[in-house]
Amino acid sequence: MTDRVLILGGRGRIGSAVANDILNHTQTDITITGRCPEGSLYLDERVRFLQLDLREFDKLRDAITQSNLVIHCAGPFHYRDTQVLETCIEQGTNYLDVSDHRSYTQKALNLHQKAIDAGVTAIINTGIFPGISNSLVRQGIEQFEQPEKIHLSYLVSGSGGAGVTVMRTTFLGLQHSFEAWINGEWRLVAPYSDRENINFPHPYQSGGVYWFDMPETITLPHSFPTIKTVITKFGSIPDFYNHLTWIAAHIFPKWLIRRGYMIEFLSHVSHSMTDFTNIFTGIGVAVRAEVTGEKDGQTVVYAATLVHENTAVASGIGTGSIAKLILEGKLKHPGVSPVEAALPTSLFTEIVQEREIQISSHWASNRDV
């Protein structure tokens, strides 16, 4: 009997990319969901559409029961509870998501033991960042005798091809300071602060990145206990978007940036702007993962980078490839885990080779920025 994958939010840019990746690399049947029926047609006989609001619990539970794997792509995850994940655990259905916010991550990780008891593999924060980026870190960590510091930098061109939801996620991430693991202790960091110019591969070259609250900030210190510092920074192309985002984070009154109508206004205005600038910048993504530590008695840096021309497609690869591994029985990791804790480097290498993802890496005595 053919496996069936349920993709919640499968009509969105990220959800569609995940669905297309699974269609291209497996023989699995897919059910995609959305709240409205318009635009729900896929030109593939293996895809069917289910009109579903996540608040329709009975309908949601029935859909989960009929599936071998559930992939949650219905963001923003700032607002989401863990009802979908809890239902998957209750029904014994494996689970993936593209969540990208620490509040959701913390709630999901609290269900770890329940997922173990149910024998359910639940991997959160899949995609490109977080997702493939986490695996780059794990690969780097394994190069060291004593890893000590992780520095993750992300650069996205325009909208990244990911739709208005990603814009909402960006502005929601500017509302509050957040805790980061720095020199062995949790310290409060202001969002979109401490700009650094980082060297990325062609065609990006040098790009400005800023502190940004990502799930990796809290999962990486727990996944790799010897690490003393985890830095997660994000930037945009063209650079003037960085300055506009900095103004929103530091000049706008906090009470204003926390209002729902302002988030919607800024998100739609920003998306309209990127629709124009995408013509010149493209919608790609660059990731740079650096690990500093001790090797052969010296303190050195291992840096790995990758570039993809479409951020949404890259996210689809990150999630879709893990879905394939689970469906094929190659990846079983009961519990609720972030990518770096669940996906062995050997399987990550298999993914990279199969999808022809180009990863460059080098060693340095000091970080080359």
Side-chain angles (χ1 to χ4, degrees):
M1 187 175 184
T2 304
D3 288 331
R4 179 164 292 278
V5 174
L6 175 67
I7 303 179
L8 303 173
R11 289 190 317 160
R13 299 287 179 86
I14 301 297
S16 296
V18 173
N20 286 328
D21 187 87
I22 294 172
L23 286 172
N24 290 334
H25 293 276
T26 76
Q27 297 302 311
T28 303
D29 291 335
I30 297 175
T31 298
I32 64 171
T33 76
R35 288 179 294 180
C36 302
E38 293 82 3
S40 61
L41 294 178
Y42 266 71
L43 298 178
D44 195 293
E45 61 184 11
R46 290 189 286 139
V47 180
R48 71 181 182 91
F49 177 76
L50 174 66
Q51 186 174 351
L52 173 68
D53 189 304
L54 293 183
R55 293 171 293 185
E56 299 176 283
F57 178 71
D58 290 340
K59 194 173 182 180
L60 172 64
R61 183 182 56 204
D62 289 344
I64 290 174
T65 302
Q66 296 170 29
S67 305
N68 303 95
L69 174 66
V70 172
I71 305 177
H72 195 346
C73 300
F77 283 86
H78 298 66
Y79 302 131
R80 293 296 179 203
D81 58 26
T82 55
Q83 181 187 62
V84 173
L85 174 55
E86 291 178 61
T87 305
C88 286
I89 293 172
E90 291 167 3
Q91 300 299 316
T93 304
N94 292 327
Y95 169 94
L96 298 176
D97 70 38
V98 296
S99 59
D100 53 5
H101 194 257
R102 75 165 60 202
S103 65
Y104 181 86
T105 296
Q106 289 171 328
K107 289 183 287 188
L109 291 174
N110 288 338
L111 298 170
H112 180 63
Q113 189 58 51
K114 287 186 177 181
I116 290 176
D117 295 341
V120 168
T121 294
I123 304 177
I124 59 175
N125 308 154
T126 68
I128 177 64
F129 65 90
I132 292 176
S133 59
N134 303 52
S135 294
L136 286 178
V137 168
R138 175 166 174 164
Q139 189 177 50
I141 290 286
E142 292 172 354
Q143 310 300 313
F144 288 87
E145 297 152 11
Q146 187 72 21
E148 296 181 354
K149 179 181 177 181
I150 296 166
H151 190 299
L152 277 164
S153 301
Y154 310 127
L155 198 63
V156 173
S157 299
S159 68
V164 73
T165 297
V166 172
M167 300 298 176
R168 294 189 188 102
T169 297
T170 299
F171 288 110
L172 287 167
L174 305 179
Q175 296 182 358
H176 304 281
S177 295
F178 59 93
E179 287 189 327
W181 186 244
I182 303 173
N183 294 328
E185 63 181 22
W186 293 103
R187 297 184 185 177
L188 209 58
V189 173
Y192 239 73
S193 63
D194 191 19
R195 175 185 172 113
E196 289 184 75
N197 290 321
I198 300 294
N199 287 333
F200 293 94
H202 178 79
Y204 297 97
Q205 312 309 329
S206 180
V209 294
Y210 304 73
W211 271 108
F212 201 79
D213 188 9
M214 303 290 292
E216 304 95 307
T217 311
I218 61 171
T219 66
L220 291 173
H222 293 287
S223 297
F224 308 114
T226 66
I227 292 296
K228 298 177 181 178
T229 298
V230 176
I231 297 171
T232 55
K233 292 194 173 182
F234 168 83
S236 300
I237 293 177
D239 193 40
F240 72 81
Y241 285 143
N242 287 321
H243 300 293
L244 293 176
T245 306
W246 185 91
I247 290 171
H250 299 281
I251 303 300
F252 281 19
K254 289 299 182 185
W255 65 266
L256 184 60
I257 197 70
R258 292 171 186 166
R259 296 294 177 89
Y261 66 83
M262 180 55 67
I263 293 292
E264 287 302 303
F265 173 75
L266 292 172
S267 299
H268 284 279
V269 169
S270 299
H271 194 253
S272 296
M273 292 171 64
T274 58
D275 277 345
F276 174 73
T277 59
N278 286 348
I279 300 170
F280 307 99
T281 65
I283 53 176
V285 60
V287 176
R288 183 182 179 96
E290 299 175 358
V291 180
T292 304
E294 186 174 310
K295 184 178 178 66
D296 299 329
Q298 294 184 323
T299 299
V300 290
V301 178
Y302 179 86
T305 58
L306 70 83
V307 171
H308 197 282
E309 64 184 6
N310 186 310
T311 307
V313 171
S315 186
I317 290 173
T319 305
S321 57
I322 294 176
K324 180 183 178 184
L325 292 172
I326 291 175
L327 292 167
E328 291 177 343
K330 292 183 178 180
L331 180 56
K332 295 181 180 179
H333 196 275
V336 180
S337 309
V339 177
E340 73 275 5
L343 183 65
T345 296
S346 58
L347 288 180
F348 175 62
T349 301
E350 179 181 317
I351 289 170
V352 168
Q353 293 173 345
E354 181 183 58
R355 308 310 175 87
E356 298 183 346
I357 299 172
Q358 299 299 315
I359 296 175
S360 300
S361 61
H362 68 273
W363 290 92
S365 55
N366 292 296
R367 188 159 55 82
D368 179 22
V369 295

